[in-house]
């Protein structure tokens, strides 16, 4: 059969039923195979970076390997930001690029570039198919690599002359390659349980690895069994319900709660699960580490000790580790009732809060998140990217289930939300999907609205518009400048509602906080009616700052606190 027919058969058997891409001359043999064999829905993107973020959102939602497709040259280079984003956040995707004929690569042929060399630093594996007979086996290995260990992206480059060849392949007797389970070493599990039980003020810290391993149920079970409070990182948001009695917030110098930082600072042991100790979480390390004991569990061995050396490191899949801890605790007959530490954490949560009940015009951002929390239910999927709105979201937005709060945590590419929302909706077509965006990043990949309109992919966009590069203006405060960050012009700058209308979508601009809820109601109904994205643009205070600092014991507040009102 044609080599690309074999590739399509492999894709389908690996669970791929939708792909996001842009055809070009060098990748047409693959598109011909997709046309002939069927079984994979394809969405034509307007920019290859958009394809990678769609595959990313799709994979974050269903846990499978997303697929993005592009042709040679700039198509591949346009994918690099998406590969980096998936690499940084441990998201399994496979990007497929066409390539000039292998006999022409040394002759500077049209759109011939060494995409393998370019992509290598931001992928788990980047490879060019040299022999057509390797095609199905390289694709099998690509999916195994993408989902094994710490998940991540793979790039496969296919010269067009290789893609055109015939090979021997029988899909009826082939299957995905097995992925080895990374189980914890039992003596280290025993040591971890000993340390946890000996601590007076322990915390569980749930990172993105808990969600990636589908370990949320085990996390909650262990926390309830031992009555240990649980914190989440930004990537771990939703791994324990926000209203769970043991939920103790989020620590950090930006995306954090006051009670989260306070309870962390009072803790004497932290059991970190699938967390990479990102700098916006830790702040200055001397304060973060203090005198507390750290146990670090991660499926990737080289993550242990990368930021600082833990007192105990354990290489394991987080779900398998948690299950081993639960089984060991039960075997020892360990079960606890809530003690003084749990009550202390609950007291901190009750008392160390921030206001959201602002009625000001222009709108204060925390009010937007109050309306979002009140209106959308716990099954809604949210996507959000980078800016002040990400920080406000981390501080104020609630999440109750895993995979429902999706954020490009480490790379932070502007424009991620629209294509990611498309990917989420294709993975969960019956779900409510909401993108929370800023006015600047919105325009980075705004052309992907055309994809949503063409293929009837409805979702709601909630924009916080301050007509500023708000996060950079805030970061400029220590420099005592406000330089080249104001993007206001005319009355309200870019007319984002008209941009929506240009793509056949709709939107509304909101000035009064009392109108936010009714606008969300309208947008939800309009998205369902039209099967297209709908925007609610909220004009917020232009120069508002988020609470932030350099260390978790010195976060500066910019709004009156509840006790001060």
């Amino acid at each position: 059969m044609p080599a690309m027919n074999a590739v399509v058969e492999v894709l389908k058997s690996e669970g791929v039923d939708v792909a996001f891409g842009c055809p070009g001359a060098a990748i047409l043999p693959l598109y011909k195979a997709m046309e002939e064999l069927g079984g994979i829905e394809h969405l034509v993107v307007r920019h290859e970076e958009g394809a990678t973020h769609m595959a990313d959102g799709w994979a974050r939602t269903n846990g499978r390997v997303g697929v993005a497709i592009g042709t040679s040259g700039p198509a591949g280079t346009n994918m690099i930001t998406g590969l980096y984003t998936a690499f940084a956040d441990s998201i399994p995707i496979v990007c497929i690029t066409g390539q000039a004929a292998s006999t022409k690569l040394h002759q500077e042929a049209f759109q011939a570039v060494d995409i393998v060399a370019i992509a290598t630093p931001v992928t788990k594996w980047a490879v060019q198919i040299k022999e057509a007979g390797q095609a199905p086996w390289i694709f099998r290995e690509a999916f195994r690599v993408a989902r094994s260990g710490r998940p991540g992206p793979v790039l496969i480059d296919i010269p067009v002359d290789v893609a055109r060849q015939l090979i021997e392949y029988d899909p009826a007797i082939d299957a995905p390659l097995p992925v080895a389970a990374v189980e914890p070493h039992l003596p280290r599990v025993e040591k971890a349980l000993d340390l946890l039980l000996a601590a007076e003020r322990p915390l569980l810290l749930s990172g993105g690895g808990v969600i990636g391993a589908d370990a949320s149920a085990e996390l909650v079970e262990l926390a309830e069994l031992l009555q240990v409070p649980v914190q989440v990182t930004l990537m771990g948001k939703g791994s324990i319900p926000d209203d769970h009695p043991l939920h103790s917030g989020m620590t950090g110098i930006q995306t954090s709660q006051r009670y989260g930082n306070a309870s962390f600072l009072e803790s004497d042991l932290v059991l970190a699960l699938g967390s990479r100790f990102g700098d916006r979480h830790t702040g200055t390390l001397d304060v973060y580490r203090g005198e507390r004991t750290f146990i670090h569990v991660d499926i990737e061995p080289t993550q242990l000790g990368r930021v600082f050396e833990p007192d105990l490191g354990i290489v394991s899949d987080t779900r398998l580790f948690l299950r081993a801890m639960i089984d060991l605790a039960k075997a020892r007959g360990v079960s606890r009732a809530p003690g003084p530490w749990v009550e202390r954490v609950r007291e901190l949560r009750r008392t160390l809060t921030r206001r959201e009940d602002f009625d000001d015009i222009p709108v204060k951002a925390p009010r937007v998140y109050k309306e979002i929390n009140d209106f959308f239910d716990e099954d809604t999927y949210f996507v959000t990217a980078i800016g002040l709105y990400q920080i406000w979201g981390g501080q104020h937005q609630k999440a109750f289930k895993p995979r429902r709060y999706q954020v490009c945590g480490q790379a932070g590419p502007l424009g991620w939300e629209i294509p990611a929302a498309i990917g989420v909706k294709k993975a969960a077509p019956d779900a409510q999907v909401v993108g929370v965006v800023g006015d600047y990043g919105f325009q980075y990949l705004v052309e992907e609205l055309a994809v949503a309109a063409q293929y009837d992919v409805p979702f709601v966009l909630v924009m916080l518009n301050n007509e500023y590069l708000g996060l950079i203006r805030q970061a400029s405060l220590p420099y005592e400048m406000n330089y080249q960050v104001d993007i206001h012009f005319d009355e309200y700058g870019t007319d984002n509602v008209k941009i929506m209308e240009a793509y056949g979508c709709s939107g509304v601009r909101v000035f009064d906080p009392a109108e936010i809820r009714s606008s969300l109601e309208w947008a939800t109904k309009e998205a369902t009616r039209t099967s297209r994205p709908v925007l609610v643009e909220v004009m917020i205070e232009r120069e508002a700052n988020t609470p932030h600092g350099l260390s978790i014991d010195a976060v500066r507040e910019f709004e009156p606190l509840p006790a001060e009102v």
Side-chain angles (χ1 to χ4, degrees):
M1 66 171 64
M4 294 301 97
N5 285 45
V7 165
V8 171
E9 295 287 6
V10 170
L11 293 176
K12 291 194 292 184
S13 74
E14 295 283 356
V16 177
D17 55 19
V18 62
F20 310 94
C22 179
I27 197 64
L28 287 180
L30 177 59
Y31 277 86
K32 179 62 177 176
M34 292 171 64
E35 179 193 44
E36 286 184 354
L37 296 177
I40 298 178
E41 181 185 5
H42 181 272
L43 278 66
V44 177
V45 302
R46 273 43 173 187
H47 191 288
E48 293 87 356
E49 183 185 341
T52 61
H53 297 328
M54 291 176 200
D56 179 343
W58 189 86
R60 290 179 196 243
T61 304
N62 60 27
R64 292 166 17 212
V65 181
V67 171
I69 305 173
T71 189
S72 58
T77 57
N78 282 343
M79 290 179 164
I80 296 301
T81 297
L83 287 166
Y84 164 41
T85 303
F87 186 72
D89 287 350
S90 306
I91 307 301
I93 67 172
V94 170
C95 289
I96 307 168
T97 54
Q99 182 59 276
S102 58
T103 56
K104 297 290 186 181
L105 295 181
H106 65 293
Q107 297 177 344
E108 299 183 354
F110 178 67
Q111 292 190 337
V113 67
D114 190 351
I115 194 62
V116 169
I118 294 171
T120 293
V122 291
T123 55
K124 291 185 71 176
W125 187 36
V127 60
Q128 185 179 92
I129 299 177
K130 306 288 188 182
E131 300 291 339
Q134 291 183 294
W137 315 116
I138 284 178
F139 270 83
R140 285 292 186 205
E141 176 66 358
F143 277 81
R144 187 197 68 80
V145 169
R147 60 167 65 101
S148 66
R150 181 183 179 182
V154 173
L155 179 133
I156 303 175
D157 191 43
I158 313 173
V160 67
D161 55 329
V162 174
R164 292 180 181 136
Q165 294 180 33
L166 299 176
I167 64 170
E168 293 291 335
Y169 176 74
D170 184 357
I173 54 173
D174 192 19
L177 300 177
V179 174
V182 182
E183 299 186 4
H185 187 48
L186 186 56
R188 289 188 170 265
V189 178
E190 293 173 339
K191 179 67 172 177
L193 184 58
D194 290 342
L195 290 170
L196 190 62
L197 294 177
E200 294 182 1
R201 299 178 302 281
L203 287 175
L204 302 182
L205 177 63
S206 177
V210 172
I211 291 177
D214 292 322
S216 296
E218 288 79 6
L219 171 73
V220 174
E221 183 179 353
L222 179 65
E224 293 176 343
L225 179 66
L226 302 183
Q227 285 298 302
V228 179
V230 181
Q231 291 205 353
V232 298
T233 68
L234 187 63
M235 292 295 297
K237 200 172 175 71
S239 55
I240 183 171
D242 222 291
D243 58 357
H244 191 282
L246 291 171
H247 187 282
S248 58
M250 185 185 301
T251 291
I253 58 173
Q254 293 181 345
T255 53
S256 61
Q257 288 83 38
R258 295 174 65 217
Y259 59 85
N261 282 356
S263 57
F264 189 93
L265 288 166
E266 292 188 20
S267 70
D268 62 1
L269 179 141
V270 176
L271 170 51
L273 302 156
S275 169
R276 57 183 179 80
F277 296 118
D279 53 346
R280 295 192 304 163
H281 165 66
T282 65
T284 54
L285 286 176
D286 58 339
V287 174
Y288 183 82
R289 294 187 68 180
E291 298 298 322
R292 57 190 62 85
T293 298
F294 281 90
I295 305 169
H296 190 190
V297 180
D298 202 284
I299 199 168
E300 170 53 49
T302 62
Q303 286 295 103
L304 304 180
R306 180 180 292 247
V307 178
F308 60 84
E309 185 179 5
D311 297 276
L312 177 64
I314 301 173
V315 177
S316 178
D317 173 282
T318 54
R319 185 177 61 81
L320 296 178
F321 169 79
L322 287 166
R323 177 48 54 194
M325 285 280 281
I326 293 165
D327 293 344
L328 182 60
K330 289 181 175 179
R332 292 185 182 182
V334 178
S335 180
R336 289 177 163 179
W341 172 233
V342 170
E343 292 304 319
R344 172 59 177 162
V345 170
R346 290 175 180 171
E347 178 189 4
L348 292 172
R349 180 165 182 168
R350 285 193 302 269
T351 57
L352 296 182
T353 59
R354 293 188 176 110
R355 287 188 63 197
E356 296 176 345
D357 59 344
F358 299 102
D359 294 324
D360 305 58
I361 298 175
V363 178
K364 287 188 178 291
R367 174 63 183 269
V368 180
Y369 290 95
K370 180 183 187 302
E371 298 295 339
I372 288 173
N373 291 330
D374 290 347
F375 179 75
F376 294 106
D377 64 29
E378 63 183 19
D379 289 315
T380 302
Y381 287 83
F382 290 92
V383 296
T384 195
I386 183 65
L388 289 181
Y389 62 97
Q390 183 199 76
I391 301 173
W392 278 311
Q395 293 170 349
H396 295 280
Q397 193 169 342
K398 309 298 183 185
F400 300 91
K401 294 183 178 181
R403 302 187 185 274
R404 300 308 197 280
Y405 184 88
Q406 300 183 16
V407 56
C408 46
Q410 197 267 8
L414 290 165
W416 184 79
E417 299 98 337
I418 291 174
I422 293 171
V424 172
K425 188 66 175 178
K426 294 305 295 183
D430 296 328
Q432 171 77 269
V433 178
V434 178
V436 182
V437 304
D439 56 298
Y440 187 62
F442 169 75
Q443 296 184 51
Y444 265 59
L445 288 166
V446 69
E447 75 284 340
E448 304 310 318
L449 286 171
V451 180
Q454 179 180 351
Y455 296 100
D456 295 325
V457 184
F459 50 88
V460 173
L461 292 170
V462 181
M463 177 187 291
L464 282 75
N465 187 350
N466 57 12
E467 300 178 81
Y468 252 112
L469 309 188
L471 182 56
I472 309 308
R473 180 199 53 75
Q474 177 174 287
S476 301
L477 292 176
Y479 298 90
E480 297 182 349
M481 69 176 186
N482 189 331
Y483 180 65
Q484 295 300 312
V485 290
D486 189 337
I487 56 173
H488 169 80
F489 62 92
D490 295 340
E491 187 176 10
Y492 297 112
T494 303
D495 191 331
N496 295 298
V497 172
K498 285 187 176 179
I499 289 179
M500 296 293 295
E501 293 171 350
Y503 285 103
C505 306
S506 52
V508 64
R509 178 176 277 169
V510 177
F511 297 92
D512 189 330
E515 298 175 356
I516 296 175
R517 182 180 179 89
S518 61
S519 298
L520 295 176
E521 292 174 350
W522 168 80
T524 301
K525 293 176 182 177
E526 187 71 2
T528 301
R529 185 185 71 82
T530 62
S531 291
R532 292 185 176 183
V534 179
L535 171 70
V536 175
E537 178 186 25
V538 184
M539 305 304 292
I540 66 169
E541 187 179 6
R542 294 204 66 216
E543 295 191 1
N545 297 308
T546 65
H548 66 276
L550 297 179
S551 62
I552 60 174
D553 65 346
V555 172
R556 180 183 174 189
E557 301 289 333
F558 290 85
E559 296 289 353
L561 297 172
E564 300 170 354
V565 176

